[in-house]
Amino acid sequence: MSRNKSIILLSVGHACVDVYQGAVAALVPFLVAERGYGYAAASGVVLAASLLSSVAQPVFGVLTDRWAMPWLLPVSTLLGGVGIALSGVSGSYGLTLVCVAVSGLGVAAYHPESARVARLAARGSHSAMSWFSLGGNIGFALAPVLVFAVVAAGGLRLSPLLVVPALVGSVLCLPLMRARKGLEGARADVAASAAGDDRASFVRLALVVVCRSVVFVGLSTFVSLLAEQRMGGSRAAGTAALLVLYLGGAVGSVLGGRLADRWDRVTVCRWSYPATAVAVAGIVTVPGPALYLFLALASAGLYVPFSLQVTLGQDYLPSRVGTAAGITLGLTVSVGGLTSPLIGGLADATSVGTALTPLILMPVLSWLLLRTLSEPTAPDHTPHARASADPAAGSGRCTPRGR
């Protein structure tokens, strides 16, 4: 399968999975309105989706480094969709938490394997990886539109209709499973040319990702409520805010890949964060519709380094690319959820705008950490020894990876 076709399939599949990450935040206003949840209770739903995912993604990364698990792609896609689809069926808060946690587990299982396959399919191209990342942004952007179209029409009882993207995404995974033999041949070359792990740099990069995660999840959870307050209680205004947040991320992802092809990744990541800090300050301080402008700028700033940080982590930890992806790609959308109850509690005690104000500091911390990092020497991603591919590739079995 050609690189372009592989990346397109991976990108669309990524969109079908990440729609369920965006759906959690998109459901928050409806849970508040229909079930009477407070800010802290609503943010607990985000926590439930994030907590299990944040722990599980590195575990799945370790497993995919050790064994070939192509079946994870369709199975995890279905799991992510079924969890969200069932989250609105029961009025029980506990069952809602269980359902979104199951969805988070599916998302956790998908990302390390898909990021590993995307790295191989991209063959060292930052732009190709940015297109893979773009698929996730599109999924996030579609989430509030999809949730609004389904839930606003008939309430949370219609949430089972939200399983449709998962069904589509799982089907799209099948050609990638059949094409895995060629990609695993490329993996053998990447592993053979790995120069060694730089764990200290990887840890600092992981901290950068944590700071970014806090900002992104905080905004995605509460910016719709902030927009509703600023625009006179309009539910459509809140949905529009989430749409701007995710579409701005789509622009930032593609821009980040293009910039990294011209300059090095660390430099591009480093200078995206000061701009993000200014934009977040605008969100919480500037009144009126200007919120949407600053939200778009903050989103682009947060997503310029998104795919670059994934490949940086893999190049800092070349012998464990699945683990690296599980931490960097997973923490990007998971660890921030662990802080959402704190933001929600502060919002209950003060206001949403006040609760979001501490987020301004997070991009500054990311910038300071990035000043201590340098561009790693990336291995050659061009496949030269396809004959060394796993002979069981394409079987769909869980087979050991040779080291």
Side-chain angles (χ1 to χ4, degrees), residues 11-259:
S11 181
V12 177
H14 196 186
C16 292
V17 171
D18 276 8
V19 73
Y20 298 110
Q21 295 192 86
V24 177
L27 285 169
V28 165
F30 296 98
L31 293 171
V32 170
E34 191 169 321
R35 297 183 180 174
Y37 292 171
Y39 292 139
S43 61
V45 175
V46 179
L47 174 63
S50 302
L51 183 60
L52 186 58
S53 183
S54 63
V55 174
Q57 289 208 46
V59 174
F60 280 111
V62 172
L63 293 175
T64 57
D65 279 332
R66 186 170 181 83
W67 293 291
M69 296 181 174
W71 53 266
L72 265 184
L73 296 180
V75 171
S76 60
T77 301
L78 287 173
L79 194 62
V82 168
I84 292 298
L86 296 178
S87 65
V89 173
S90 171
S92 166
Y93 184 70
L95 286 178
T96 300
L97 296 183
V98 170
C99 288
V100 297
V102 167
S103 179
L105 182 63
V107 170
Y110 176 84
H111 280 99
E113 179 71 1
S114 65
R116 185 186 65 81
V117 174
R119 171 187 169 90
L120 298 174
R123 300 170 192 170
S125 169
H126 300 313
S127 292
M129 281 299 293
S130 73
W131 284 103
F132 168 70
S133 174
L134 174 64
N137 303 142
I138 292 174
F140 270 108
L142 290 176
V145 178
L146 181 63
V147 169
F148 185 82
V150 172
V151 180
L156 290 169
R157 62 184 179 84
L158 294 183
S159 65
L161 295 176
L162 297 174
V163 77
V164 172
L167 298 176
V168 174
S170 61
V171 171
L172 292 176
C173 291
L174 301 180
L176 291 169
M177 293 173 64
R178 290 194 294 268
R180 187 174 67 88
K181 183 174 182 178
L183 294 177
E184 289 299 331
R187 177 191 181 274
D189 283 331
V190 173
S193 61
D197 294 344
D198 184 352
R199 296 180 181 178
S201 293
F202 180 79
V203 169
R204 292 196 293 273
L205 178 68
L207 293 175
V208 171
V209 174
V210 168
C211 293
R212 179 206 175 274
S213 172
V214 171
V215 180
F216 179 76
V217 177
L219 289 178
S220 64
T221 304
F222 295 103
V223 76
S224 60
L225 298 171
L226 180 64
E228 286 182 18
Q229 294 174 3
R230 295 262 182 97
M231 307 303 163
S234 169
R235 184 69 52 79
T239 299
L242 282 178
L243 184 60
V244 169
L245 176 66
Y246 299 145
L247 286 178
V251 174
S253 291
V254 175
L255 180 62
R258 295 293 179 87
L259 292 174

